[in-house]
Amino acid sequence: MRIFAALLPDEITSERLEELLDVRRDAEPAWRWTMPEQWHVTLAFAGAAPARRVDDVVEALTAIAAATPPPVLRPAGAGAFPHPDAAKVLWLGVVPADGPEERLGDLAAVCRTAFARHGVEVDGTRFRPHLTVARSGRGLSATRWLRVLDTVATDLDPWRPPALHLLASHLGEGPRRRPRYETLAALEWRR
């Protein structure tokens, strides 16, 4: 089972981002634009989690969320993976609006540790908080799109993720063979 801990945009942010991207989607058919229900900031990702460990991970993440005040996030520019000259992914960066940038990295590290402590191996890539907005099957020049997305980022207000989510990813089961995400748990922040 593929699982990941994530922060989802609130409803107002999702609606505003959808509004800003909708007018741009038809301009470049080579990009597959991410559906709003798939927008998230991944904190910890496990490509193969044993189903018997999921309850332990939920318990650990529940404790993390209960000890963490809800973060306030803001968009921070645009980027591309692997790089702008041969991009396969376009994204909007995300940073804390209410504290040091390290705060989000610290939350990701705690979530990754919780996975590992319960026998769930996490992806070891460097944490770069972002919302994926588009993908391409081949590397495309993205310089123009990065300028457009930088403008989109400046038009979004700070937002508070409603909960710390644990999601399961079901590859190829969504519309147009995209992943389908299933919420396994939505864990409340410290009040």
Side-chain angles (χ1 to χ4, degrees), residues 73-137:
L73 305 177
R74 68 175 174 77
F81 293 134
H83 56 80
D85 293 328
K88 291 187 176 186
V89 174
L90 297 176
W91 49 265
L92 293 175
V94 177
V95 296
D98 62 341
E101 281 195 32
E102 297 81 29
R103 182 173 177 209
L104 203 48
D106 293 345
L107 180 59
V110 170
C111 290
R112 289 175 179 206
T113 299
F115 276 46
R117 281 194 179 137
H118 293 287
V120 177
E121 188 175 332
V122 293
D123 177 319
T125 59
R126 184 177 137 232
F127 177 65
R128 178 172 287 167
H130 67 279
L131 289 170
T132 296
V133 294
R135 295 180 183 280
S136 174

Side-chain angles (χ1 to χ4, degrees), residues 32-33 35 37-38 170 172-181:
R32 292 184 321 272
W33 295 90
M35 305 303 289
E37 59 272 11
Q38 294 180 321
H170 305 282
E173 293 183 15
R176 290 181 254 153
R177 312 255 333 127
R178 294 179 182 177
R180 177 180 60 84
Y181 298 144

